[in-house]
Structure formats: C-alpha cells, structure tokens
Amino acid sequence: MPRELEPAISQKEFVLAALKQGLRTDGRAFLESRKIELVFGEELGMVECKFGKTRVFADVSATIARPRQDRPYEGLLTISSEISPMASSVYEVGRSSDEEVAITRMLEKVIKRSGAVDLESLCILAGQRVWHVRLTLHFLSDEGNMLDCACLAGITALRHFRRPEVEVIGEEVIIHSPEERAPMVLSMHHTPICITFALFEDSASPVLDPSHLETQLATTTVHLALNAQKELCVMHKAGGMPMSVEEIMRCVRIGVERVKEVSRMVNDALDEDWKGRAVEVR
C-alpha cells in the first residue's frame, strides 16, 4: 500500500496553532460534529451515510444457512468492509490496509459482540436452518472519521432491512415473497453508535468528529460506542497520551448527549423513508 504523505510542516503548525486558540480549520467548534446525512436506496437495507465529505455505503442481505455446531439456536451475522481507491489514493484494490482492518475489528465489537442484533430471532429450525445476515460496507470517500460514519451506516442499514417471512412445515422451510407476506424487521436489542474524539497535547478540550487532517496530527484518538440507554458498549484508545479518569468521563458525558441527538435523527429518517414505501411491515 502506498504510504500516505504526512502534512506539510507549515500546515501542521497552522492547525496546531489554531487549536491552541480554540479554533478549527473548518470553522467548527471543538465539540461540533459535521452535518450527518442519510440516503436510503431503493432496496431495503441499502443506506449511504455522509459525515460532511466522508461517505460510506452499507448493504444488508440475508440467506438461509446452517448454524454453528456450538450455537444451534443462533443465526449468523457477518460484517465485511472494503476501502477502495475511490475513498483515497492511498488504498489499493484487493489489499486490506491497517485502517480497514482496525475499522472492521471495531465494528465487530460495536455491532456483533455488544449483542445489537438478536441472533436467536434468526433461528428457523434449531440446528438445521438459520438466517445468515451479511452487512457489507463500502467506503466511498475518506475525509476523516470513517469509523463513526461506517458504524452509523451499518446500524441504520440493519434497522432499515427487512427479511422475508418463512413458514416451517415439518422439515420443509417455505420462504414467502414480499408480495405474499409482509417482510419482517430484524430484532435488535439496542442501537450502539460510535463517537470519536481526537486529543492534542496543547489543547485543553477534546475535538469531536475529527477531520482527516486532525486525525493525522492528533496525539491520541478515543472511540466510544454508546446507545440511547446511556450504556457504554465499547471504548478504544489509540495513542500514547495519558488520560485521567475525569477526562475519560468528560468524553463519555459528551458522547451520551451526542448519541441522543443522532438516535433521534436516525429514527426520524427511518420514519420519513418508510412513509414513502408501499410495503406492509409487521
């Protein structure tokens, strides 16, 4: 993979000097996020999320498969991602970058290990047939904070997706089309949302939703995954800058309020999209 060029010395000095004065190069306040936009596709489970110029497309599909032998009553959830040269020239086709691997692992923790999706509800015939839900993320543009954008795209796509209704007669499984029976929503326990902060040595306040340049210059980045119930699902700190308990709790409190706003926005967007669809849901 081509090595990403480091910011010029003059550019680095300018950004850090602005942060010392409480300013960001894009005009935002320290705790101000970029505008979030959700665009729904024609098919259910297709969502494009935009954080300013950062764009991620999420696609959810489901097929019938055999369950794992050690978990015969649970369905399967697979998360995959692809960062192509479309997002940035530093990425290559067919080769996973370190950032792509880190994002995929974090999404596994946030969405899969936190139990966001009720896997037992995906069971059709215990030990024989279950739903295998696949969440695929395509990174279209990298202008910083791709993790938060990907997490929101993935969670929204899972909530937007509808699986076909199935009927079990003996050992036979019948899949009904949407025209025959209304598709069903995925059962979800909670909706975790990622919040990212960037910290700088000479800045007293953390920076919410860092841009690509701010991420390059940050001493430490902190990723929090919280839900609307104020539960901390995942916390990940990258970088060597030490943080006190008070600083961590401040980030958590800011994250809780931010998650409330994003959750309301997602709910409103889903309701608005569903009003224009002539599909019965149960």
Side-chain angles (χ1 to χ4, degrees):
M1 187 181 88
R3 184 178 178 181
E4 186 173 8
L5 295 177
E6 295 183 359
I9 296 177
S10 58
Q11 190 179 26
K12 177 180 179 180
E13 292 176 347
F14 175 78
V15 172
L16 295 179
L19 289 171
K20 287 182 182 179
Q21 300 177 28
L23 302 172
R24 298 175 71 175
T25 54
D26 55 8
R28 289 184 288 153
F30 274 28
L31 301 179
E32 182 181 353
S33 175
R34 290 169 290 182
K35 181 182 177 182
I36 299 176
E37 183 180 355
L38 294 172
V39 181
F40 298 94
E42 294 184 2
E43 299 293 330
L44 296 172
M46 292 185 176
V47 178
E48 181 183 349
C49 181
K50 301 178 182 179
F51 272 46
K53 293 183 179 180
T54 299
R55 298 166 53 213
V56 177
F57 178 78
D59 180 22
V60 178
S61 61
T63 56
I64 293 180
R66 295 190 66 86
R68 293 171 50 185
Q69 292 184 356
D70 58 336
R71 295 181 182 273
Y73 300 99
E74 292 185 1
L76 304 173
L77 174 62
T78 303
I79 302 173
S80 59
S81 63
E82 178 186 0
I83 306 182
S84 67
M86 182 187 299
S88 174
S89 58
V90 300
Y91 303 112
E92 293 182 356
V93 177
R95 294 186 63 183
S96 297
S97 64
D98 294 340
E99 186 171 7
E100 181 178 353
V101 173
I103 289 176
T104 303
R105 288 178 179 173
M106 189 66 179
L107 291 174
E108 286 272 347
K109 296 178 182 178
V110 174
I111 299 176
K112 195 171 181 179
R113 298 186 189 177
S114 71
V117 178
D118 182 7
L119 296 181
E120 290 187 356
S121 68
L122 301 176
C123 181
I124 301 172
L125 275 175
Q128 299 182 43
R129 295 289 186 272
V130 296
W131 284 108
H132 183 182
V133 178
R134 292 181 175 86
L135 170 60
T136 306
L137 297 161
H138 302 274
F139 297 82
L140 307 179
S141 178
D142 178 14
E143 193 53 42
N145 201 12
M146 288 198 297
L147 174 61
D148 289 11
C149 189
C151 180
L152 186 59
I155 283 291
T156 306
L158 288 170
R159 293 185 57 186
H160 188 246
F161 178 70
R162 303 293 187 269
R163 65 168 178 82
E165 171 64 45
V166 295
E167 183 179 2
V168 179
I169 303 176
E171 297 294 323
E172 183 184 4
V173 177
I174 302 174
I175 303 176
H176 295 280
S177 67
E179 291 76 20
E180 295 174 335
R181 293 191 182 181
M184 301 182 65
V185 300
L186 293 180
S187 177
M188 300 188 66
H189 291 133
H190 64 116
T191 305
I193 295 173
C194 280
I195 304 294
T196 296
F197 297 91
L199 286 83
F200 301 85
E201 289 184 355
D202 298 325
S203 176
S205 173
V207 171
L208 178 65
D209 183 23
S211 65
H212 184 70
L213 179 58
E214 289 171 339
T215 303
Q216 285 183 293
L217 299 178
T219 308
T220 298
T221 54
V222 177
H223 307 288
L224 302 176
L226 304 112
N227 57 28
Q229 291 74 40
K230 301 182 181 180
E231 296 173 330
L232 178 61
C233 306
V234 180
M235 175 179 174
H236 177 73
K237 175 179 174 290
M241 180 177 173
M243 295 180 65
S244 65
V245 176
E246 291 75 16
E247 290 175 323
I248 294 175
M249 290 307 300
R250 182 190 180 194
C251 290
V252 172
R253 286 191 292 268
I254 296 170
V256 166
E257 296 303 318
R258 179 59 183 163
V259 165
K260 289 181 181 178
E261 298 174 7
V262 176
S263 296
R264 284 194 296 267
M265 185 271 295
V266 171
N267 292 335
D268 293 343
L270 288 168
D271 292 341
E272 187 66 26
D273 175 76
W274 201 250
K275 290 178 182 177
R277 295 182 184 271
V279 180
E280 181 185 354
V281 180
R282 64 177 186 178

